[in-house]
Amino acid sequence: TGNQPAAEAPSDSAPKSAIDEAVTELQENPASYLSRMGVMAGGDNYQVTAAMPANIRNRLGLESGDRVLKVNGQSVGSSPAQDARVLQQVKQSGEAQIEVQRGDQVITIRQQF
């Protein structure tokens, strides 16, 4: 029975480690990270492309063509270092409100991490 908590830990920590990775990559090599994630920085938003891994799109409720405008009320897309700080706040609070423009609509997606 001593092994049980360890068995639960990987699934528990997976989203947080993905956030940690995102923070580090946005600070050190943003272009490479954004390309791998399938998003394009648009100056005042991130555009989701078909290249975004399906598991991430599904997890976040995003669709190709969506424009991510704000995370937790803060604009994203103009400064990777600033966006890394936003992600650190998401990790600390354990949740994100993602404001997304989809076509003519702006929707808010709430996510727990």
Side-chain angles (χ1 to χ4, degrees), residues 27-106:
Q27 291 168 330
E28 295 176 4
N29 196 347
S32 167
Y33 180 73
L34 295 176
S35 171
R36 219 174 57 229
M37 288 292 104
V39 296
M40 295 187 308
D44 60 354
N45 63 66
Y46 285 112
Q47 182 167 358
V48 176
T49 72
M52 178 179 273
N55 62 329
I56 295 172
R57 260 200 330 263
N58 295 339
R59 169 84 168 93
L60 297 177
L62 298 172
E63 296 177 5
S64 181
D66 285 353
R67 293 184 181 277
V68 177
L69 307 175
K70 295 183 179 180
V71 176
N72 288 357
Q74 299 184 61
S75 296
V76 294
S78 61
S79 164
Q82 179 182 322
D83 296 344
R85 287 193 291 278
V86 172
L87 285 178
Q88 285 174 315
Q89 292 167 357
V90 166
K91 182 183 172 192
Q92 287 167 349
S93 69
E95 60 185 18
Q97 287 190 39
I98 306 166
E99 193 173 299
V100 175
Q101 182 174 346
R102 181 172 293 162
D104 294 337
Q105 289 187 306
V106 174

